[in-house]
Amino acid sequence: MQQNFFRWHFKALLLFLCSISPGVILNHGQACGEDVSFPLRAKRILFLGDSITHAGGFVNCIEAQMRLQHVNPMPEIVNIGLSSETCSGLSEPDHPFPRPNVHERLARALEMVSPDVVVACYGMNDGIYYPLSTPRFDAYKAGVRSLIEKVHAAGAKLVLLTPPPFDAVPLEDSGKLRPDGQAKYSYFAMYEDYDSVLEEYARWIVEEPLNVEMVIDVHTPFLNALTQRRQQDPKYTMSPDGIHPNADGHQVLADSVLAAWGLKSKPRPSTELMSVMNHRGALLHNAWLSHVGHQRPGVKEGLPIDVARMQAADLLQKADEIIKLQSDVH
């Protein structure tokens, strides 16, 4: 386990050094001469992804920051991230149910939401917690390419995020990590160097000449933040279960997206503001998720979309009052 920690730390250090080296492209902000701030001018932004997007933290941080900086007109943010989802259609043998595939609901989502910008983040589940293999990698590539085609066919632009890292450090004494060469792996019995798989997926997203308006590497800044903070605390983590970011991790994801859009994450939203935005985000997320429909069992039914929008409007009024007070202070 100690050897695994030092291997991870060394890899993160190398990534940090690469990120500050000339000629290394971490964020693709311009394709076909497109202005990087185009998402800020959208009428409606649809967020797609797995449980990391389902949690809503980074999406709510992005919206709070856009409102704090008075983006006008403000895009409508629709988050339908779904826990356990993939874009590859793969599922590990010991998963309690077949993992949902975004392509099962993508056409409905694009028709019902009618976004002009889509933000998608897949990969964490697509390697199904196994070592790297060509068939699984090819399935991920095919899923991403199909996602691009379908979003463009609906007349929307796509912002494609790399998968965030898998963090083995907090799991070193948990008994959940498995060495290479095992017959089976799962989300509860993970390949110990699974981040090397996500690193390959992220590298492909960044380096492959995909027909996409914007690619944002969130994997590298997340690792950089871990590396910096582990200089003081070697056990520090932003993903306590190795997979799902905590509030600090979601903030790093949000900062990476906002920076790529040309918007700095300052001033920071107050705790009170984020509490309201998280409540509002969860309310709308649950409603939209049920409205669009999905095949994942165990997800609580959301309110009818019209009812949720009415309640969200009241919460937004409260958020606007907090924003005004915070703006007056600054």
Side-chain angles (χ1 to χ4, degrees), residues 5-6 20 47 49 75-76 79 90 106 121 129 135 152 160 162 226 255 257 259 279 293 306:
F5 168 76
F6 284 116
I20 60 175
F47 282 80
E76 180 183 1
N79 175 17
L90 300 179
L106 183 56
C121 183
Y129 303 94
H152 286 166
L160 193 59
T162 65
L226 277 176
D255 289 346
V257 173
H279 182 187
D306 291 341

Side-chain angles (χ1 to χ4, degrees), residues 309-328:
R309 278 176 159 162
M310 289 176 60
Q311 294 186 16
D314 292 338
L315 289 168
L316 181 57
Q317 183 175 358
K318 184 176 181 180
D320 285 341
E321 292 171 358
I322 298 170
I323 288 170
K324 186 178 185 306
L325 289 172
Q326 186 169 344
S327 298
D328 290 344

Side-chain angles (χ1 to χ4, degrees), residues 230-272:
R230 280 183 176 159
Q231 292 177 1
Q232 285 75 41
D233 180 4
K235 293 295 185 179
Y236 175 84
T237 185
M238 294 191 294
S239 306
D241 66 355
I243 299 169
H244 301 97
N246 59 17
D248 288 345
H250 276 280
Q251 187 65 62
V252 172
L253 298 179
D255 289 346
S256 300
V257 173
L258 290 165
W261 294 353
L263 200 65
K264 293 183 179 180
S265 297
K266 292 181 180 179
R268 290 292 191 201
S270 66
T271 301
E272 184 182 12

Side-chain angles (χ1 to χ4, degrees), residues 14-124:
L14 287 177
L15 279 169
F16 172 75
L17 293 173
C18 288
S19 73
I20 60 175
S21 299
V24 177
I25 300 174
L26 296 179
N27 293 322
H28 289 209
Q30 289 181 268
C32 303
E34 182 65 74
D35 178 6
V36 297
S37 64
F38 70 87
L40 303 180
R41 298 190 300 275
K43 292 181 180 179
R44 190 172 294 112
I45 304 175
L46 172 64
F47 282 80
L48 295 168
D50 49 39
S51 55
I52 296 171
T53 308
H54 186 140
F58 79 93
V59 181
N60 299 334
C61 286
I62 288 170
E63 181 170 3
Q65 194 59 238
M66 291 170 70
R67 291 187 180 279
L68 266 174
Q69 300 201 32
H70 306 293
V71 172
N72 188 26
M74 178 68 197
E76 180 183 1
I77 305 293
V78 176
N79 175 17
I80 59 168
L82 180 62
S83 181
S84 305
E85 191 166 73
T86 73
C87 72
S88 62
L90 300 179
S91 190
E92 60 267 45
D94 289 338
H95 201 268
F97 50 84
R99 287 186 177 276
N101 184 344
V102 67
H103 295 287
E104 181 277 326
R105 65 191 181 115
L106 183 56
R108 297 194 305 276
L110 293 170
E111 181 180 0
M112 293 178 177
V113 179
S114 189
D116 36 339
V117 172
V118 175
V119 180
C121 183
Y122 289 97
M124 180 63 76

Side-chain angles (χ1 to χ4, degrees), residues 125-195:
N125 294 331
D126 290 275
I128 58 174
Y129 303 94
Y130 276 65
L132 186 68
S133 81
T134 298
R136 284 188 289 272
F137 200 0
D138 286 346
Y140 176 64
K141 293 175 181 178
V144 170
R145 289 192 172 106
S146 180
L147 178 66
I148 294 169
E149 291 173 4
K150 292 172 183 176
V151 168
H152 286 166
K157 296 177 180 180
L158 181 61
V159 177
L160 193 59
L161 308 187
T162 65
F166 171 76
D167 187 3
V169 170
L171 301 176
E172 287 181 341
D173 299 321
S174 69
K176 294 181 179 181
L177 299 177
R178 301 289 184 269
D180 196 2
Q182 301 297 293
K184 291 191 297 184
Y185 300 84
S186 185
Y187 72 96
F188 55 80
M190 313 145 185
Y191 172 46
E192 63 183 359
D193 196 21
Y194 186 58
D195 192 53

